[in-house]
Amino acid sequence: MVVNNKVDSLSYDVEAPPVVSAPPTPTPPTPLHQQQQRDEALPPVPLLPVEPHKVSAPERRTTVKALKQRLAEVFFPDDPLHQFKNQSFARRLVLALQYFFPIFHWGSSYSLRLLRSDIISGLTIASLAIPQGISYAKLANLPPIIGLYSSFVPPLIYSLLGSSRDLAVGPVSIASLVMGSMLREAVSPDQEPILYLQLAFTSTFFAGVFQASLGFLRLGFIVDFLSKATLTGFMGGAAIIVSLQQLKGLLGIIHFTSQMGFIQVMHSVIKRHDEWAWQTILMGVAFLAVLLATRQISARNPKLFWVSAAAPLSSVIISTIISFICKAHGISIIGNLPKGLNPPSVNMLTFSGSYVALAIKTGIMTGILSLTEGIAVGRTFASINNYQVDGNKEMMAIGVMNMVGSCASCYVTTGSFSRSAVNYSAGCKTAVSNIVMAAAVLVTLLFLMPLFHYTPNVILSAIIITAVIGLIDFQGAAKLWKVDKLDFLACMAAFFGVLLVSVQMGLAIAVGISLFKILLQVTRPNMVIKGVIPGTQNYRSMVQYREAMRVPSFLVVGVESAIYFANSMYLVERIMRFLREEEERALKSNQCPIRCIILDMSAVAAIDTSGLDALAELNRVLEKRNIELVLANPVGSVTERLYNSVVGETFRSGRVFFSVAEAVAAAPHKAQP
């Protein structure tokens, strides 16, 4: 893409840097070679006159004031207390109530027109939530009724505390898979069902505590350490693992592996081929084809969203009727499901014993995943509808929702992308759609549970496969390859970590790669050599702008990162390497040796004491070689620290300039050989 940029009445194009790739043989002269040839052939660049300006430090702040401002930017970037300023005590109470319970904010202007839209969308997502709730509970190795319990209480809590209008709350596939796989490694849900259920509820409680704590302490930025690239790979790998696990239901296998790896699952499928049931396979393939077809219909025509939304419940009803007529011959069914409201489960929470560490670890893992998905979905639809979602409030809402849910026979829940998409497409206006969905689930729990007795397990497997297949983002992976190869490698590492090792290892790899990428960018900041654009006073990267030309005897280096203890030594080493390369080039072309190095610090957002010491060390090394080091265009915080330090004494006397052009103009004699 080329953007026209006006500079000093001249027009220049903002060019992308050349793509780095393996050069073919034989190779033509590269742009760098061409630049060197121009440097040798052209006369010195005429420098335009500039007017000097003083580099001022910002207003001095006390330590307490500076610390206060810094903490405010870290923990309160949205300034949530702004609305309470200059308000009466009564008004502040009302605003506080609306802040902590958003339902009081939009509830005062609620109307019958909004209620009609919310009823339609609530009933629509209920038709999707009921079969998905039963299916995802099986994915977590929990009784199917737990999935319906988790689709009743949590949506009611979220409708009071949540700030998203479109988020549809309930169990989700990835969190269910992670909980099931982590708990099953230590406790068998078949041999010790009570203990397994206790650990599931306890893990949900710890997940809620972790989530609410992040929101209360304003630490929501921790969740952002999972980059989009690693999440793309993790979600894709987890979706394939979830789908492979459903081969047990699709093929009618009774004895199936408890492991989650791709190789182990496929080995179990082949080894147990004698358990395959043709009735189950026939029904599973038929309904899976129908569900995938309805998904494609809705994807191609968004107005027909109700086709894919109604397909799961319709499939459950039709398959149940078929199973009842055939007396479930050769087809595994759900069986009896208890009627009634959520029974209390406070007495099942366990905070002592040898399994507490497992419950905490599982709670944190599932808490991170459910938070990431819920907040991402909420922000996505908020941006579409042009309203704001408070990430920290969402964390508190989801956390409280899971803590309360763990006491009411629910497991980990969050905002589901598939149900939220249906909720949005159905025309929801407020969180009342969650209340309507919960009411529909309540009716199901009280009166309709016997109707699910003959529901085949195979249809639940087909519903899960249809739901998770959309998590495999081929286009996203292709974009990563095109834009950032490192992000693509991170995506693939997380993908194969989940697929070949385990879900937990895949998540650990995803987090590790995200942290490694951050460390790599911090410890190895980008630095470029800059040249002047002919006819202007602007200095730009010579890699990006091929018309940029060197100024004889000057080396202009742009630093494009904050200077911290982690990269300060690299900064010195990289500048010395630039100097060596430029001196070799100047010697080869009989040009002026380098007399002055200018650091363009316009992109240096911050500097610490190690960075200041590194500048002092670099200055001492260059002075021994009769080369002067000057700084250009430091930002306010950098200037403040520079002038307040001992190092600043070195640069204060005419060695800190308003711009690179002024730094060059202040020493015209250095341009002479």
Side-chain angles (χ1 to χ4, degrees):
M1 183 177 66
V2 176
V3 182
N4 197 28
N5 184 29
K6 296 285 185 178
V7 181
D8 294 342
S9 301
L10 296 176
S11 179
Y12 289 92
D13 291 334
V14 178
E15 302 174 355
V19 177
V20 179
S21 58
T25 54
T27 175
T30 63
L32 181 59
H33 294 157
Q34 295 172 357
Q35 177 68 47
Q36 291 177 351
Q37 292 173 2
R38 287 201 304 269
D39 289 341
E40 298 171 4
L42 294 177
V45 182
L47 301 177
L48 300 180
V50 294
E51 180 181 350
H53 298 80
K54 181 181 178 181
V55 177
S56 302
E59 180 183 356
R60 292 185 63 86
R61 299 173 299 172
T62 63
T63 303
V64 174
K65 185 177 180 180
L67 181 61
K68 181 180 178 181
Q69 291 180 351
R70 185 61 177 169
L71 292 177
E73 290 302 318
V74 173
F75 297 105
F76 303 98
D78 53 345
D79 192 14
L81 301 179
H82 176 73
Q83 58 181 330
F84 296 96
K85 295 179 180 179
N86 303 322
Q87 300 290 341
S88 64
F89 179 75
R91 180 58 180 167
R92 289 180 179 179
L93 288 179
V94 173
L95 291 174
L97 187 65
Q98 293 177 347
Y99 179 80
F100 290 106
F101 299 94
I103 190 172
F104 291 107
H105 178 68
W106 51 262
S108 58
S109 59
Y110 201 71
S111 64
L112 290 177
R113 180 181 60 84
L114 299 178
L115 178 62
R116 183 173 63 252
S117 299
D118 287 335
I119 288 177
I120 295 174
S121 57
L123 293 176
T124 304
I125 58 175
S127 67
L128 183 62
I130 292 172
Q132 280 191 351
I134 297 174
S135 304
Y136 292 158
K138 288 177 62 63
L139 193 60
N141 302 313
L142 294 169
I145 191 66
I146 301 297
L148 289 182
Y149 291 159
S150 302
S151 300
F152 171 54
V153 172
L156 294 177
I157 303 299
Y158 182 82
S159 64
L160 296 175
L161 303 176
S163 57
S164 174
R165 308 171 194 166
D166 305 281
L167 202 66
V169 172
V172 293
S173 58
I174 300 301
S176 302
L177 171 68
V178 172
M179 172 173 284
S181 61
M182 292 185 69
L183 294 181
R184 190 169 184 171
E185 288 182 355
V187 179
S188 172
D190 300 320
Q191 299 176 2
E192 300 177 282
I194 302 300
L195 176 59
Y196 188 90
L197 200 58
Q198 289 177 338
L199 292 178
F201 293 149
T202 306
S203 299
T204 301
F205 178 81
F206 282 120
V209 171
F210 174 73
Q211 294 165 334
S213 299
L214 288 182
F216 180 76
L217 298 175
R218 315 288 294 184
L219 298 175
F221 57 86
I222 294 178
V223 180
D224 295 332
F225 275 97
L226 280 174
S227 66
K228 181 176 177 58
T230 54
L231 278 177
T232 299
F234 174 80
M235 291 293 187
I240 293 179
I241 289 296
V242 170
S243 301
L244 291 176
Q245 285 289 316
Q246 304 318 304
L247 291 177
K248 174 184 178 181
L250 282 177
L251 301 177
I253 299 175
I254 301 175
H255 303 91
F256 199 69
T257 179
S258 61
Q259 297 179 330
M260 308 295 291
F262 174 82
I263 297 175
Q264 294 88 339
V265 171
M266 296 308 299
H267 179 266
S268 180
V269 169
I270 297 173
K271 182 180 179 180
R272 301 294 181 180
H273 67 276
D274 55 323
E275 297 182 3
W276 295 8
W278 67 268
Q279 302 96 326
T280 302
I281 297 175
L282 180 62
M283 176 178 285
V285 171
F287 279 99
L288 181 60
V290 171
L291 289 170
L292 292 176
T294 57
R295 184 185 181 90
Q296 288 297 318
I297 292 174
S298 297
R300 294 181 178 181
N301 189 351
K303 293 183 179 180
L304 298 178
F305 70 92
W306 55 269
V307 175
S308 62
L313 185 59
S314 302
S315 299
V316 168
I317 295 173
I318 296 173
S319 63
T320 302
I321 294 174
I322 295 174
S323 177
F324 176 76
I325 294 174
C326 299
K327 303 300 180 182
H329 181 70
I331 299 176
S332 173
I333 60 175
I334 291 179
N336 292 324
L337 293 176
K339 293 194 299 182
L341 295 177
N342 299 33
S345 57
V346 180
N347 60 324
M348 300 189 72
L349 300 179
T350 175
F351 303 108
S352 61
S354 57
Y355 293 108
V356 174
L358 174 63
I360 294 175
K361 183 173 68 173
T362 304
I364 292 176
M365 285 286 191
T366 55
I368 291 175
L369 287 176
S370 57
L371 264 188
T372 303
E373 180 172 356
I375 293 178
V377 173
R379 287 175 175 171
T380 298
F381 288 102
S383 63
I384 294 175
N385 290 330
N386 195 28
Y387 67 92
Q388 295 294 323
V389 169
D390 188 330
N392 289 293
K393 286 173 62 178
E394 286 294 286
M395 291 179 186
M396 293 184 65
I398 295 174
V400 173
M401 177 179 76
N402 281 315
M403 283 192 290
V404 174
S406 68
C407 301
S409 300
C410 305
Y411 77 107
V412 174
T413 54
T414 187
S416 164
F417 184 82
S418 59
R419 287 192 291 274
S420 298
V422 171
N423 194 29
Y424 167 76
S425 300
C428 74
K429 301 301 181 183
T430 66
V432 171
S433 60
N434 276 296
I435 299 177
V436 175
M437 179 190 71
V441 174
L442 173 62
V443 172
T444 303
L445 287 170
L446 292 177
F447 306 108
L448 304 180
M449 295 313 297
L451 300 179
F452 291 97
H453 177 86
Y454 282 96
T455 299
N457 284 313
V458 64
I459 198 65
L460 303 181
S461 298
I463 290 173
I464 291 176
I465 293 175
T466 307
V468 302
I469 199 171
L471 297 175
I472 306 175
D473 190 0
F474 294 104
Q475 292 182 350
K479 289 179 180 178
L480 291 175
W481 171 258
K482 182 178 180 180
V483 176
D484 191 329
K485 301 298 189 294
L486 183 60
D487 270 351
F488 179 79
L489 290 177
C491 173
M492 290 296 100
F495 175 82
F496 287 109
V498 173
L499 200 61
L500 301 178
V501 186
S502 67
V503 177
Q504 303 94 287
M505 183 57 66
L507 180 60
I509 291 174
V511 174
I513 291 176
S514 298
L515 293 176
F516 174 76
K517 184 178 179 182
I518 294 173
L519 290 175
L520 187 63
Q521 293 175 342
V522 170
T523 58
R524 295 295 182 267
N526 190 42
M527 300 172 65
V528 295
I529 295 180
K530 294 188 172 184
V532 64
I533 302 295
T536 74
Q537 299 174 1
N538 297 296
Y539 286 75
R540 295 292 184 267
S541 168
M542 298 187 66
V543 174
Q544 182 179 3
Y545 294 88
R546 295 174 179 83
E547 66 270 27
M549 304 186 68
R550 292 176 173 84
V551 178
S553 78
F554 283 87
L555 173 59
V556 182
V557 178
V559 183
E560 300 178 349
S561 172
I563 304 176
Y564 292 121
F565 63 93
N567 60 23
S568 57
M569 286 300 100
Y570 171 78
L571 176 81
V572 176
E573 295 169 356
R574 190 69 182 93
I575 291 176
M576 295 305 296
R577 182 147 54 98
F578 277 143
L579 177 61
R580 185 189 69 226
E581 294 169 354
E582 288 299 301
E583 286 181 334
E584 292 175 352
R585 183 199 60 80
L587 180 62
K588 184 178 179 180
S589 56
N590 294 323
Q591 292 186 349
C592 305
I594 301 299
R595 298 279 192 247
C596 179
I597 294 180
I598 302 174
L599 288 189
D600 184 358
M601 305 185 69
S602 56
V604 179
I607 190 170
D608 65 359
T609 54
S610 297
L612 293 172
D613 291 340
L615 291 180
E617 175 65 22
L618 178 62
N619 182 67
R620 285 192 294 268
V621 173
L622 294 177
E623 281 182 344
K624 295 179 181 179
R625 303 177 61 169
N626 196 26
I627 298 175
E628 187 176 13
L629 176 65
V630 300
L631 310 180
N633 196 19
V635 299
S637 60
V638 174
T639 306
E640 181 181 20
R641 293 198 175 185
L642 186 66
Y643 285 175
N644 290 338
S645 66
V646 178
V647 179
E649 298 295 333
T650 305
F651 294 95
R652 188 171 300 176
S653 57
R655 297 176 64 181
V656 181
F657 294 92
F658 187 79
S659 65
V660 175
E662 290 190 12
V664 173
H669 62 279
K670 295 187 178 65
Q672 302 300 324

